Amino acid sequence: MAKHGKKYRASVEKFDKQNLFDTDEAIKIVLDTASAKFDETIEAHFKLGVDGRHADQQVRGAIVLPHGTGKTKKVLVFAKGAKAEEAEKAGADYVGAEELADKIKSQNWFDFDVVVATPDMMGVVGRLGKILGPKGLMPSPKAGTVTMDVEKALVEIKAGKVEYRLDKQNIIHTPIGKASFGAEKLQDNFDALVGAIVKAKPAAAKGQYLRSVTLASTMGPGVKVNPAKLS
């Protein structure tokens, strides 16, 4: 087991880790236990009652959080011609085509947080699937990152759009803001995210959909939210 520092152990003693809290209580505890010297990110973790190995039980999408994430994301856009110019004007950090794909492959270059691509560039981007996929960077139509409306995609991402998707354990991990946001803004962001995930429930999902929900700061302990009050 990993050894935790004094601050973490002190934080754990402030509440019952086995208890299920209402969202407002959970957020207060998370903020109370976010004791690092930097502005900690607050994350939500959702264990879902689905089996992501089946295509009809995949849960993936994106949402613009009402108050953003508190982080400015670097965006790489794969586009050519007029769409490349559109991307540059809309504030993309990097714009290109084959040369950027080659840079990623040959230099292991990852100085970006999100990848957007126009549909005609997916032949180039597709060859990076084994590199971008494991890092959660592969663009997709479902997340709005494969699109001809490059400007809209960039505006949404810069405004605080987050993508949610299942990992191999059928868990979704998504930031909902910074500790400095305060309880009200974090509640708004969390509610918006929950609404999107519930709406994305696959028809093939059986039984309890939200199995467990946990909120935590970067350095703090996980606080369990009562999933029965969310769906």
Side-chain angles (χ1 to χ4, degrees):
M1 284 179 65
K3 289 185 178 179
H4 295 293
K6 288 183 180 178
K7 283 187 177 180
Y8 182 95
R9 293 197 298 272
S11 296
V12 169
E13 290 173 4
K14 291 183 178 181
F15 68 101
D16 183 351
K17 280 200 77 176
Q18 301 309 312
N19 198 18
L20 295 177
F21 296 92
D22 288 348
T23 308
D24 57 343
E25 292 179 275
I27 289 173
K28 285 177 184 175
I29 294 169
V30 168
L31 291 176
D32 190 40
T33 55
S35 56
K37 292 180 180 179
F38 61 92
D39 193 5
E40 295 184 55
T41 296
I42 309 301
E43 286 199 345
H45 308 273
F46 301 85
K47 172 75 172 178
L48 301 186
V50 297
D51 187 345
R53 293 173 299 178
H54 301 290
D56 63 351
Q57 293 189 50
Q58 266 296 327
V59 179
R60 182 176 184 178
I63 181 175
V64 178
L65 297 177
H67 304 289
T69 62
K71 179 185 177 184
T72 302
K73 292 186 176 181
K74 287 187 179 180
V75 186
L76 181 158
V77 178
F78 283 98
K80 287 183 176 180
K83 287 297 167 182
E85 291 177 18
E86 181 184 324
E88 288 173 354
K89 288 178 182 177
D93 298 275
Y94 307 102
V95 183
E98 286 85 359
E99 73 281 6
L100 288 182
D102 291 340
K103 186 175 181 179
I104 291 170
K105 282 193 286 187
S106 63
Q107 299 180 28
N108 198 33
W109 175 67
F110 289 103
D111 186 28
F112 49 87
D113 305 297
V114 184
V115 180
V116 174
T118 52
D120 58 304
M121 291 302 300
M122 285 308 292
V124 173
V125 181
R127 295 196 288 273
L128 299 172
K130 290 184 178 178
I131 301 172
L132 297 178
K135 293 181 178 290
L137 292 169
M138 193 67 183
S140 79
K142 208 165 187 180
T145 46
V146 176
T147 177
M148 286 301 288
D149 197 341
V150 175
E151 181 181 2
K152 180 185 176 186
L154 280 160
V155 168
E156 289 183 343
I157 291 165
K158 295 289 186 178
K161 185 177 185 176
V162 293
E163 184 177 351
Y164 55 87
R165 59 186 297 181
L166 294 174
D167 67 8
K168 290 181 180 178
Q169 282 73 48
N170 301 311
I171 300 172
I172 289 174
H173 311 270
T174 309
I176 60 167
K178 296 285 187 178
S180 60
F181 280 23
E184 191 174 331
K185 288 183 178 180
L186 289 170
Q187 179 84 56
D188 288 346
N189 280 357
F190 179 76
D191 289 345
L193 178 61
V194 170
I197 292 173
V198 169
K199 191 175 179 180
K201 179 181 178 180
K206 305 298 181 187
Q208 187 178 351
Y209 179 54
L210 296 177
R211 293 282 177 87
S212 69
V213 180
T214 305
L215 291 172
S217 63
T218 306
M219 304 298 288
V223 182
K224 295 179 180 178
V225 178
N226 186 352
K229 301 249 184 112
L230 300 177
S231 52

